Amino acid sequence: MKTTKHHITNNLDSAKESRSQADRIAELETLLPVNANKNRTSESQLLLRMSKMEEINIQLENLLEDEKKKRSEVIANNAKFLSLVAHDLKNPFTTTIGILYLLQDHLNDLDKTEIQRLVDMAAISSVRTLNLLDSLLAWSILQNNQKSFNPEKINLREIIINEFESFNISAINKEITMDHSIAPGLHITADIQMVKTIFRNLISNAIKYSNTGGVIFICATEGRQFIEIEIRDNGIGMSQKTKEKLFKIDEFHSMTGTNSEQGTGLGILFCKEFIEMHGGKIWVESETGKGSVFKFTLPHYI
């Protein structure tokens, strides 16, 4: 009996252990699909992240390529810019030095009229050089330090009169009349050096492209926020193709003046940048043989 009972007990214990193992196996089997699903989900997420990283890498490579291209263009434009500036400075210096040597060697052989003519030529050349240097100085300061932009109240009439006086010899040399209709109490809010550079370049161009006996006239129209200024000449004008290139920094377009005056077109680019710094805009109306009207806007001081 004892043996039988012992066998029964052992069998019961074995059965219980078998059921327990079977339960554990069944439980593990129920867990397997869950783990498999989790693994598949993890793989999908990993693939998605890798795909996104590849897209980001491609975007970064494109940005890097664009940046390299822009830098190359900037370097090329700067090299061209410096070359043109050097050329623009060299011509008036060469003219002035040549005149001085001529006076030095032949002063006693020249009459008063001829001496006066040569002195006037040297003065015109010197003013042209000074104007370019002023423009370059104002532009370089602006590029390196935005704090150099200092708007203030400026009497528009006084600025124009002073700039007319600066170009008096050049105008007399070509028998050009310069006039304006600016009211005494009209004021703008602007950086004084930039405004001087704007008028110097535009008046210089008007003289350069005017024929002997021409007329240059400046007027202004008051607006609520801006004043629209016109610098008008009756010179040789320009074609539609020239107008389209005029304000493009990568073109550096210029025409020879009516007395064979040379230039690079840099002055117009300086004007555009300085005017836009004030929130204004510049444009030109012109036809070949009918003169040009340069119009631009500057903030109205109220």
Side-chain angles (χ1 to χ4, degrees), residues 2 58 75 93-94 98 114 126 138 190 192 216:
K2 287 181 180 180
I58 292 171
I75 291 170
F93 271 121
T94 302
E114 185 65 15
S126 299
I192 185 69
I216 295 171

Side-chain angles (χ1 to χ4, degrees), residues 187-235:
H187 293 85
I188 57 175
T189 303
D191 183 285
I192 185 69
Q193 293 302 323
M194 292 185 188
V195 169
K196 286 181 179 179
T197 298
I198 292 165
F199 278 106
R200 283 176 189 171
N201 280 298
L202 293 178
I203 292 172
S204 176
N205 279 348
I207 293 173
K208 183 190 297 184
Y209 300 118
S210 289
N211 294 304
T212 300
V215 177
I216 295 171
F217 190 78
I218 300 179
C219 59
T221 304
E222 293 185 60
R224 185 174 180 181
Q225 293 182 317
F226 288 87
I227 292 176
E228 183 177 304
I229 302 161
E230 294 185 13
I231 299 182
R232 184 184 300 270
D233 67 68
N234 59 353

Side-chain angles (χ1 to χ4, degrees), residues 111-280:
D111 60 31
K112 187 176 180 180
T113 302
E114 185 65 15
I115 291 173
Q116 185 63 56
R117 187 183 72 82
L118 291 172
V119 170
D120 287 347
M121 287 175 61
I124 292 170
S125 181
S126 299
V127 168
R128 191 177 302 156
T129 306
L130 180 61
N131 288 339
L132 179 58
L133 287 173
D134 283 345
S135 297
L136 284 170
L137 179 61
W139 180 81
S140 63
I141 291 173
L142 180 63
Q143 299 302 308
N144 292 298
N145 184 8
Q146 294 293 332
K147 293 180 181 179
S148 63
F149 180 60
N150 298 308
E152 58 183 285
K153 179 182 178 182
I154 298 173
N155 186 295
L156 189 58
R157 180 188 176 96
E158 291 178 3
I159 284 286
I160 291 170
I161 291 173
N162 288 336
E163 294 309 316
F164 275 169
E165 290 177 358
S166 299
F167 288 98
N168 192 43
I169 295 175
S170 299
I172 291 173
N173 188 55
K174 293 181 78 170
E175 299 177 9
I176 290 172
T177 301
M178 298 185 295
D179 202 359
H180 70 88
S181 62
I182 307 299
L186 191 58
H187 293 85
I188 57 175
T189 303
D191 183 285
I192 185 69
Q193 293 302 323
M194 292 185 188
V195 169
K196 286 181 179 179
T197 298
I198 292 165
F199 278 106
R200 283 176 189 171
N201 280 298
L202 293 178
I203 292 172
S204 176
N205 279 348
I207 293 173
K208 183 190 297 184
Y209 300 118
S210 289
N211 294 304
T212 300
V215 177
I216 295 171
F217 190 78
I218 300 179
C219 59
T221 304
E222 293 185 60
R224 185 174 180 181
Q225 293 182 317
F226 288 87
I227 292 176
E228 183 177 304
I229 302 161
E230 294 185 13
I231 299 182
R232 184 184 300 270
D233 67 68
N234 59 353
I236 59 176
M238 64 186 80
S239 66
Q240 181 63 33
K241 185 177 180 180
T242 299
K243 286 192 292 182
E244 291 172 356
K245 293 181 178 180
L246 200 59
F247 299 107
K248 293 182 178 179
I249 196 168
D250 57 340
E251 294 286 348
F252 298 112
H253 183 78
S254 182
M255 302 184 299
T256 302
T258 53
N259 275 3
S260 300
E261 300 99 327
Q262 298 298 314
T264 58
L266 293 175
I268 290 295
L269 299 179
F270 291 140
C271 291
K272 180 177 184 293
E273 185 158 357
F274 293 157
I275 289 168
E276 290 178 350
M277 276 288 297
H278 290 82

Side-chain angles (χ1 to χ4, degrees), residues 71-88:
R71 285 179 180 244
S72 297
E73 290 174 354
V74 168
I75 291 170
N77 284 335
N78 284 345
K80 187 176 181 181
F81 175 83
L82 291 173
S83 175
L84 291 170
V85 168
H87 180 271
D88 228 22

